[in-house]
Structure formats: structure tokens, C-alpha cells
């Protein structure tokens, strides 16, 4: 395993992996790691070079969904690993168990990584703590640890500060501290030691933050800047994240055909993105009202995702669209049980309240509405404010309080940051006026819905209402 041929194989495999040619990279590396003894251990202590090559091979197995091969390789390597190498191996094995849906085993691996890091220097220990906290979705702890890492690194290890800033940005975003996230994103982007991958990721995160306020054009500009950086040498995985983030932004703008075409290009070039592309296509089909296509796309996206809960949220939306409210409620309950960041938990509960009513649990729905109202503030992002008033509007309609519902739909329309949702909002506003017998106001709202320049089933539904009236 320790010879000059590994050096050449690793360098070539790294280039191929970088370009998304995972199978070709695998063929180059596999022969160098086949020498396992009867106890499935390596016979010699790996060098730093062979350790890096081993991590690449294990990651390739993971990306190609050859999970058993990855697990065998990592387990064998742990028998002779140094503490620093053991940290990498346990963290990667935690990702492996996450991919299998084994949450407890993944958490155990991260505990082992923390134990292995005890003999390392303080900044490295803090870094491992941040990574483990984020992997366990404890973003509050991750943010505090990242800030501690910035303080420690500033005095003893300046070269590590940028990595802690980078991790602080993502932790802050996940706990709803969007201004803090933008601060650390900016500091990372301009840091002289920031890698292209870190700059690319931070521009993606900046795009997400501004899109919460409906600034989609600005968000797309950040994604364009990130794509420019990616073209100068960032790996295939970053490039696909950028492309799929751009497609998701196009979907929110109502440009479903453009989003679908971009997703097809990503899949054609990088087959390993099948699950993420399938989830995006399911969302596109659902938005178009093509429910059978949505089901088909979801059926091809069954393994655990790097975007936790994304498939389950689509199952909720599809079940609600088809009137399967108990199933929607069950999925929401599961998501709420496992939600670890406050903004996500609040948004999930906003969805649950009307579903509780539709399942006949009216008192529970009203109690949840009261709790959510007490937690509402106008400092929340526009996306969450709009979702709050949407919940109130739907509950008002379920109570047949059409006048109250109309007031709430008007607030939704004022705050809504995503063009794709406006046909839905205008149509349901018109429905409220129709229930009150105010046909002129109903026609005006349906006309506005039908005129929205987006691809949505609600545009067609608005036109059908106009024709029927």
C-alpha cells in the first residue's frame, strides 16, 4: 500500500473525483486497499498520504451507495489509525450511518471522534466538537463552539479562524440568526485564507438568506458569483449543489420549465445526484398539479437525503393535496419530533395547525394557533411571516369565517416573498369573496391569479373559476 504507485493513483483519482467521474476514480484506488489480513485490519500503519487516499476511496463508496464496502474499509483502517486519523474515520463513518438511516450508530461514531480528539490541540478539539454538533443537528451548540473557536484561533492559530467563521455562518442560519449568518458569510468570503469551496458555500448561504426576504434576483446573482468561483476548480459536488440551488430558486420564481431543464442537465452529467434531482422534480410536478408524476419522482428518492426532511415535506404537501390528512399529520408529527432548530420547528407547526383541524382535532388546532401567535414577531423573515398569516387564513376558512380569512390572505399577499405562491394566494382570496357573495371582488382576485407569470396549477384553477362564474 505504501509505494510510489499510490501517489500517482491518488493524484489521478482525486482529479477524476473532482470532475465527477466517480467510477473511474474508484477503479484507480481499489487495488491499493485490497491487502486486508484475516482480521480485516491493515497490516501496516498508514501514512498521511495513504490515509487521504483511503478517505477518498471510502467517500467514493459512500457517494456510489456501496455502503458495505465503505464500512469495511473504514473499520479496517481504524485498527492502526493515529488519533488525528481516527477523528476523520469516525466522522466519515458517522456520515455512512446517516446515509443508512442509523441515527444512533451515527451519534456513537461522533462520540468516538470526540474521544479521539482529546489528545489533539485545543483548536482541533473545538473544530471536531463543532462538526459533531452540526452533524447531530445541535446548531445552538455548534454556533457557541464556533464562536469560541474564532476567539481561540485569533490568538493561537490564525489560519484556522476562517474555518470557524465558515461553520459559524451555517450554524447561525440554522438557528434563525440570519444577520449573524450574513456577517460570518461576508467575513469568510473576504478572508485571504478562505478556500474556493468555502467561498462557494458562503455565497450559496447568502443567496438563501436574501431569498427569505423575497430578493430572488439578488439571490441568483450570488449563485452566479458562486458558479464563477466553482468553475475555477471547486469539486463536482459543489458544482451540482450550485446548479440545484439555482434550479430551486427558479422554481420559487415560477420558472418551472427552466428549473426542470437545469435539473436534467445536472443528472445527465452527475448520476450520483439522482435523489436530489428526483425530489426537485417531485416538487415541480406537484406545483404543476401532476400528482402521478410527483408520486413517481418521490418513489425514486427513497434513500436518506443530505437535505433532511425534504422528501417528507413533499409527502406532506402531496397528501394534503389529495385530501389524505391523517397521513400528512403523521409525517408532520415525525418531522416536528426530530426538528432541532427553532425556525424549522416553527414553520412545521404552522403547517400542522390547519391539518389538525382537517383531522377533526379542532381544540388542538386552536391551542397550537394560540401558541404560535404568542411566538410571532415582525422581526421574522418575510417567508415565515407569510406562512404565519397563511395558517391563520386557512383556519379562518375552515371555521367558515370568510371575512377574517380575507383579511389574513391580504396580509399573506403583502408579505409573500415567492412568486410561485401568489396564484394560490390570490385564488383563495377570491374564494373568500365568492363565499360572501361579492362576485366583483372575487373576479378581480381570480383575474390576478390567472395573470401571474408563473407555471402553477393555481393559475389554471383561477381560470376555471372565472369560466364557471
Amino acid at each position: 500500500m505504501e509505494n510510489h504507485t499510490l501517489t500517482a493513483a491518488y493524484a489521478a483519482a482525486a482529479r477524476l473525483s473532482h470532475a465527477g467521474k466517480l467510477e473511474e476514480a474508484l477503479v484507480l484506488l481499489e487495488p491499493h486497499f485490497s491487502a486486508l489480513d484475516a482480521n480485516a485490519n491493515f497490516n501496516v500503519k498508514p501514512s498521511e498520504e495513504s490515509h487521504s487516499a483511503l478517505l477518498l476511496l471510502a467517500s467514493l463508496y459512500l457517494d456510489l451507495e456501496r455502503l458495505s464496502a465503505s464500512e469495511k474499509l473504514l473499520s479496517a483502517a481504524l485498527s492502526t489509525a493515529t488519533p488525528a486519523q481516527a477523528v476523520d474515520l469516525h466522522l466519515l463513518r458517522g456520515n455512512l450511518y446517516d446515509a443508512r438511516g442509523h441515527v444512533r450508530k451515527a451519534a456513537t461514531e461522533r462520540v468516538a471522534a470526540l474521544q479521539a480528539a482529546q489528545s489533539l490541540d485545543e483548536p482541533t478539539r473545538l473544530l471536531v466538537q463543532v462538526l459533531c454538533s452540526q452533524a447531530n443537528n445541535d446548531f445552538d451548540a455548534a454556533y457557541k463552539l464556533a464562536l469560541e473557536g474564532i476567539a481561540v484561533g485569533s490568538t493561537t492559530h490564525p489560519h484556522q479562524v476562517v474555518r470557524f467563521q465558515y461553520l459559524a455562518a451555517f450554524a447561525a442560519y440554522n438557528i434563525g440568526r440570519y444577520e449573524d449568518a450574513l456577517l460570518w458569510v461576508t467575513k469568510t468570503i473576504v478572508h485571504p485564507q478562505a478556500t474556493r469551496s468555502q467561498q462557494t458555500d458562503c455565497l450559496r448561504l447568502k443567496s438563501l438568506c436574501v431569498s427569505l426576504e423575497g430578493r430572488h434576483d439578488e439571490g441568483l446573482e450570488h449563485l452566479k458569483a458562486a458558479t464563477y468561483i466553482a468553475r475555477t476548480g471547486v469539486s463536482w459536488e459543489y458544482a451540482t449543489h450550485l446548479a440545484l440551488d439555482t434550479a430551486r430558486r427558479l422554481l420559487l420564481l415560477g420558472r418551472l420549465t427552466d428549473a426542470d431543464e437545469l435539473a436534467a442537465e445536472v443528472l445527465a452529467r452527475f448520476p450520483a445526484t439522482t435523489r436530489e434531482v428526483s425530489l426537485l422534480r417531485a416538487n415541480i410536478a406537484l406545483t404543476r398539479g401532476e400528482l402521478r408524476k410527483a408520486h413517481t419522482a418521490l418513489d425514486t428518492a427513497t434513500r436518506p437525503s443530505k437535505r433532511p426532511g425534504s422528501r417528507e415535506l413533499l409527502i406532506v404537501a402531496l397528501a394534503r393535496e389529495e385530501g389524505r390528512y391523517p397521513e400528512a399529520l403523521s409525517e408532520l408529527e415525525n418531522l416536528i419530533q426530530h426538528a432541532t432548530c427553532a425556525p424549522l420547528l416553527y414553520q412545521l407547526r404552522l403547517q400542522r395547525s390547519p391539518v389538525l383541524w382537517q383531522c377533526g382535532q379542532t381544540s388542538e388546532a386552536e391551542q397550537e394557533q394560540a401558541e404560535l401567535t404568542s411566538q410571532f414577531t415582525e422581526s421574522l423573515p418575510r417567508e415565515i411571516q407569510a406562512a404565519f398569516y397563511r395558517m391563520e387564513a386557512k383556519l379562518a376558512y375552515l371555521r367558515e369565517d370568510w371575512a377574517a380569512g380575507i383579511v389574513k390572505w391580504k396580509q399573506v399577499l403583502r408579505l409573500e416573498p415567492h412568486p410561485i405562491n401568489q396564484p394560490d394566494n390570490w385564488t383563495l382570496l377570491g374564494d373568500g369573496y365568492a363565499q360572501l357573495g361579492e362576485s366583483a371582488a372575487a373576479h378581480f382576485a381570480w383575474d390576478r391569479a390567472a395573470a401571474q407569470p408563473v407555471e402553477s396549477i393555481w393559475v389554471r384553477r383561477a381560470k376555471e373559476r372565472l369560466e364557471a362564474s
Side-chain angles (χ1 to χ4, degrees):
M1 185 171 65
E2 304 291 335
N3 55 55
H4 68 280
T5 60
L6 175 60
T7 302
Y10 173 55
R15 287 194 297 271
L16 289 168
S17 174
H18 199 78
K21 300 178 180 179
L22 308 189
E23 293 282 3
E24 294 177 38
L26 194 69
V27 169
L28 286 178
L29 284 181
E30 273 188 317
H32 296 276
F33 294 94
S34 59
L36 302 177
D37 66 20
N39 295 317
N41 293 328
F42 285 109
N43 293 316
V44 294
K45 198 177 189 72
S47 67
E48 284 305 312
E49 179 182 58
S50 64
H51 175 68
S52 298
L54 182 148
L55 288 176
L56 175 57
L57 179 58
S59 297
L60 288 169
Y61 282 139
L62 189 57
D63 286 335
L64 293 169
E65 299 186 41
R66 292 175 57 180
L67 304 185
S68 295
S70 184
E71 183 175 20
K72 180 182 179 183
L73 186 66
L74 293 171
S75 298
L78 276 166
S79 62
T80 56
T82 66
Q85 292 170 347
V87 168
D88 292 335
L89 294 167
H90 282 300
L91 289 175
L92 187 53
R93 199 154 71 162
N95 294 342
L96 167 70
Y97 288 131
D98 274 337
R100 283 181 163 170
H102 299 330
V103 177
R104 289 184 181 177
K105 285 187 176 182
T108 299
E109 289 299 320
R110 286 162 194 140
V111 170
L114 290 168
Q115 291 171 343
Q118 290 307 304
S119 62
L120 305 178
D121 60 70
E122 184 180 9
T124 303
R125 289 198 304 272
L126 280 169
L127 181 60
V128 175
Q129 287 178 290
V130 175
L131 294 172
C132 289
S133 296
Q134 287 201 341
N136 291 329
N137 293 321
D138 187 353
F139 296 105
D140 283 298
Y143 187 54
K144 292 174 184 175
L145 288 163
L147 294 182
E148 187 178 344
I150 292 169
V152 170
S154 297
T155 56
T156 60
H157 294 72
H159 63 285
Q160 290 201 12
V161 168
V162 66
R163 190 164 188 190
F164 283 113
Q165 290 177 342
Y166 166 77
L167 293 169
F170 282 84
Y173 176 82
N174 278 288
I175 58 176
R177 300 182 65 158
Y178 304 112
E179 291 185 2
D180 287 356
L182 286 171
L183 168 67
W184 295 118
V185 158
T186 303
K187 284 180 175 288
T188 301
I189 291 170
V190 301
H191 196 288
Q193 292 179 311
T195 66
R196 286 192 293 251
S197 297
Q198 289 169 340
Q199 291 174 327
T200 299
D201 261 353
C202 283
L203 283 165
R204 286 178 56 225
L205 184 59
K206 197 169 187 179
S207 174
L208 284 173
C209 288
V210 300
S211 293
L212 286 171
E213 298 296 327
R215 290 147 54 192
H216 292 289
D217 290 340
E218 184 181 344
L220 284 171
E221 286 302 315
H222 291 315
L223 287 174
K224 287 179 184 177
T227 302
Y228 175 79
I229 295 173
R231 286 175 178 168
T232 65
V234 177
S235 74
W236 71 274
E237 190 169 14
Y238 284 91
T240 57
H241 283 328
L242 284 169
L244 290 175
D245 274 355
T246 302
R248 294 184 190 103
R249 210 70 69 246
L250 291 170
L251 188 155
L252 292 175
L253 286 167
R255 294 166 56 183
L256 273 59
T257 298
D258 291 339
D260 205 4
E261 290 175 354
L262 183 54
E265 290 177 18
V266 171
L267 184 60
R269 186 170 180 185
F270 304 113
T273 61
T274 297
R275 187 188 195 280
E276 298 302 319
V277 170
S278 295
L279 289 174
L280 179 59
R281 284 178 163 169
N283 202 348
I284 290 170
L286 180 60
T287 305
R288 285 173 169 161
E290 299 169 344
L291 304 188
R292 186 171 297 179
K293 284 186 178 181
H295 277 291
T296 300
L298 281 174
D299 288 343
T300 63
T302 54
R303 72 177 179 85
S305 173
K306 293 182 180 179
R307 296 166 61 85
S310 49
R311 182 174 186 271
E312 290 74 17
L313 282 171
L314 283 168
I315 291 172
V316 170
L318 190 54
R320 292 178 68 176
E321 181 69 20
E322 295 176 336
R324 295 181 285 110
Y325 301 117
E327 182 180 342
L329 181 59
S330 176
E331 289 288 349
L332 279 169
E333 297 284 6
N334 185 53
L335 286 167
I336 288 168
Q337 182 181 352
H338 293 95
T340 54
C341 55
L344 174 61
L345 178 60
Y346 191 78
Q347 287 175 292
L348 290 170
R349 293 183 66 199
L350 288 173
Q351 289 196 47
R352 181 172 65 177
S353 188
V355 178
L356 283 168
W357 187 289
Q358 289 162 323
C359 288
Q361 300 180 38
T362 54
S363 60
E364 291 87 344
E366 290 179 342
Q367 180 181 346
E368 180 133 88
Q369 181 185 14
E371 292 174 3
L372 292 167
T373 300
S374 69
Q375 297 167 18
F376 177 82
T377 71
E378 292 187 355
S379 64
L380 290 168
R382 280 177 57 197
E383 179 182 76
I384 300 179
Q385 289 189 56
F388 171 78
Y389 287 117
R390 185 177 294 110
M391 172 205 69
E392 292 211 312
K394 288 181 177 180
L395 285 171
Y397 275 16
L398 288 168
R399 299 187 189 100
E400 298 187 2
D401 187 350
W402 310 111
I406 287 169
V407 171
K408 299 301 180 182
W409 280 120
K410 287 180 178 179
Q411 289 174 303
V412 175
L413 284 162
R414 177 176 58 84
L415 290 163
E416 180 60 65
H418 306 312
I420 192 61
N421 293 331
Q422 291 293 40
D424 179 349
N425 299 332
W426 278 110
T427 300
L428 292 172
L429 174 65
D431 289 352
Y433 280 121
Q435 290 290 340
L436 293 177
E438 299 183 28
S439 58
H443 277 233
F444 174 82
W446 292 334
D447 273 328
R448 290 294 301 269
Q452 295 298 305
V454 301
E455 298 175 62
S456 167
I457 181 63
W458 285 95
V459 171
R460 186 166 77 239
R461 288 172 178 169
K463 291 178 180 177
E464 290 170 353
R465 284 163 167 75
L466 287 168
E467 292 172 2
S469 61

